[in-house]
Amino acid sequence: MTAGMWLKHWWLKLMIRSYIPAAIKGLSLTVRRMFQPRDTLSYPEEVHVPRKGYRGEHRLKKDDQGRMKCVACLMCQTACPAECIQIVGAPSPWPDRDKIPVVFNIDMLKCIYCGMCEEACPCDAIELTPTFNKVALTREEKIYDINKLLGR
Amino acid sequence: MHNLLETVFSHPAVRGGAKIAFCIGFFVLALVPLLVILERRISAFMQNRVGPDRVNLPFINRLGGILPGGLAQPLADAIKLLFKEDIIPSGADKFLYLAGPVLVLVPPALGMIVIPFGSNIGGEPLQVAHLGVGILFTMSVLSVAVYGLAFGGWASNNKWSLIGGMRASAQLVSYELSLGLSILAVLMLSGAMDPKGGTVDPRELVQRQADHGWNIFGGGNPWLLPAGLGGFLLFFISALAENNRLPFDLPECEAELVGGYHTEYSSMKFSLFMMGEFVGMILMCSLMVTLFLGGWSLPPLFGALNGANEWLAGGSILQGLVSVGIFVSKVMVLLLLYIAIRWTLPRFKYTQLMDLGWKRLLPLALANIAYVAVVGVAASGGQP
């Protein structure tokens, strides 16, 4: 072992056992971390904006005459893996379709927000909106009926 | 009006009272809550959190949100602590149990009285008590604080608290020595540069540093620079241990001892322990600033700041306040370093602590004293 190697070994050992370089390294890490941006949102002031295509609560679409697009074909009810959609059809008052729904209930507590109903719909009548923070105080409030779904 | 103020303040009791009021009101009652919220916010930022940034206090809201963010959090905490049930555990030794928190808070607050926190205003030195034995007084008062921890741990009739109290006293014996020896080295260092010899008077120490240069930079003698820097490092590490701060917070390690010596304390007694810890930190930082970092003075930076210290000692109200500001900002920098270290370093094991105290810091402190002695004798031309 040359003198230079011995000195280097001794110095490294001293630096490690004095804890000081490690402490300085750690301090620089934490101080740098202080100035990094953080992901936390201050909720009531800053509201989370979901990404494009986020699957939130449903709505029923209307056509350009203001009528609901739904034809009560039950495709969404069939496609739904959570079985949260309940539809009761009735004869349509309008000539361009046979049926319209009179009951269209979605149980938002059962829904898994998979978007299968949106994909199954042949008339592009149901879609998932980015709304994600609707709060209710009772279970009944979370069963959305046709008026609530159309009005959104 | 001006004359009235002058007449009132010409009375020594009024001057003394004003200084005591500043010492207690600022260093204990104002800086401690500030430190609490700073500690919480800084730790949050270091961990990529936000921390307490809003407080809903009705009377604060009525002010129109003048206090931003979590600045009112310590106030809310204090109100909560005041209204909590004050429990004395059955089987506790009542007298010692009550003496514990008092003995933790009072000694550091007492130690503040000899710290010169500014130059002077109208010839009145900004220091509560001008004791000739100032540094020794602070040291002796500081060692009393550990009785508070030991009493608290002993009297609360709890195994974990007892371990915490025992650890506090064992930690004291392994650190007080290197703390005292590094203070001794810096006193010798400042004595080596002055014809009057060594002194333990804090005001005199600060005045010498204002005249010759800070003690951390060798007090004006380039040969003493390593002694100053090394002594400061030793003192800082020992001070961390003295205040039971991480990485040496063995007496109150939450994970092992369920809170340590203050597990059984609740309500205001608990907050007295907390306050005592923070006041101890403030006192240690003030001591560091007084001993090593030149108190209220500015460093003579290559002649760029020549005359600044004479201006600070001028004696007008503005000059006095600026000197207080310089002292407080130095203390704040050290306190921030304390906080940053707390949230960076993990806790030492008990064996490592003893090892560090007895086998590394003590020999280093002794070597530091020997070095200062040799250089000091050489600088004075062989005259003792």
Side-chain angles (χ1 to χ4, degrees), chain A residues 17-20 22-23 25-28 30-31 33-45, chain B residues 41-42 44-50 53-54 233 237 337 340-345 348 352 355-356 360:
Chain A
R17 296 188 67 184
S18 71
Y19 304 116
I20 290 168
K25 217 172 159 185
L27 275 175
S28 75
T30 42
V31 172
R33 195 46 73 101
M34 270 179 73
F35 298 103
Q36 276 180 3
R38 46 196 56 75
D39 297 329
T40 317
L41 293 175
S42 307
Y43 169 61
E45 295 93 36
Chain B
R41 284 307 288 262
I42 287 178
F45 286 151
M46 281 179 170
Q47 297 163 352
N48 279 16
R49 294 184 287 116
V50 174
D53 67 339
R54 65 199 61 210
L233 201 62
I237 295 172
L337 191 59
I341 284 176
R342 166 159 188 194
W343 296 98
T344 302
L345 298 182
F348 275 85
Q352 289 170 324
D355 189 69
L356 195 69
R360 312 230 179 110

Side-chain angles (χ1 to χ4, degrees), chain B residues 9 11 20 27 34 74 77 88 90 95 139 144 185 191 210 222 228 237 248 257 278 298 339:
Chain B
F9 271 92
H11 198 282
I20 292 172
F27 284 110
L34 186 67
D77 288 349
I88 297 182
S90 59
F95 177 71
M139 287 310 295
V144 173
I237 295 172
F248 309 111
L257 298 185
F278 280 106
L298 285 170
I339 292 175

Side-chain angles (χ1 to χ4, degrees), chain B residues 32-271:
Chain B
V32 167
L34 186 67
L35 273 180
V36 171
I37 189 66
L38 265 181
E39 174 131 42
R40 292 181 67 176
R41 284 307 288 262
I42 287 178
S43 69
F45 286 151
M46 281 179 170
Q47 297 163 352
N48 279 16
R49 294 184 287 116
V50 174
D53 67 339
R54 65 199 61 210
V55 179
N56 193 355
L57 286 177
F59 52 92
I60 295 282
N61 284 351
R62 203 164 299 158
L63 296 176
I66 291 173
L67 277 181
L71 270 183
Q73 184 69 48
L75 189 59
D77 288 349
I79 293 172
K80 185 203 80 170
L81 281 165
L82 271 173
F83 284 101
K84 282 189 90 161
E85 187 186 357
D86 196 4
I87 299 165
I88 297 182
S90 59
D93 184 326
K94 231 177 195 169
F95 177 71
L96 290 183
Y97 185 81
L98 295 177
V102 177
L103 277 176
V104 168
L105 176 64
V106 171
L110 259 185
M112 285 306 296
I113 67 168
V114 295
I115 304 289
F117 52 86
S119 58
N120 65 77
I121 291 178
E124 178 76 20
L126 294 176
Q127 180 190 23
V128 173
H130 185 209
L131 298 182
V133 292
I135 300 295
L136 299 180
F137 172 77
T138 313
M139 287 310 295
S140 53
V141 150
L142 256 180
S143 358
V144 173
V146 78
Y147 284 108
L149 309 191
F151 285 175
W154 173 261
S156 48
N157 194 23
N158 176 325
K159 293 183 208 67
W160 302 114
S161 303
L162 181 59
I163 294 176
M166 291 297 115
R167 282 183 177 191
S169 22
Q171 188 167 317
L172 180 88
V173 290
S174 50
Y175 274 94
E176 194 85 315
L177 213 50
S178 45
L179 188 79
L181 287 176
S182 53
I183 288 184
L184 184 58
V186 77
L187 294 179
M188 286 165 68
L189 190 153
S190 91
M193 289 310 295
D194 203 274
K196 276 180 286 178
T199 177
V200 287
D201 178 5
R203 197 193 295 172
E204 175 70 18
L205 277 169
V206 171
Q207 191 54 50
R208 284 183 191 182
Q209 292 181 71
D211 295 340
H212 306 306
W214 293 4
N215 282 340
I216 190 175
F217 302 129
N221 186 340
W223 282 98
L224 288 173
L225 178 65
L229 282 173
F232 178 72
L233 201 62
L234 287 175
F235 189 89
F236 188 78
I237 295 172
S238 311
L240 284 176
E242 177 83 28
N243 291 138
N244 303 318
R245 290 287 288 186
L246 268 163
F248 309 111
D249 70 335
L250 291 148
E252 54 163 306
C253 41
E254 298 89 349
E256 297 165 38
L257 298 185
V258 224
Y261 56 88
H262 54 51
T263 308
E264 299 292 343
Y265 283 87
S266 58
S267 181
M268 210 54 202
K269 290 202 200 73
F270 170 76
S271 71

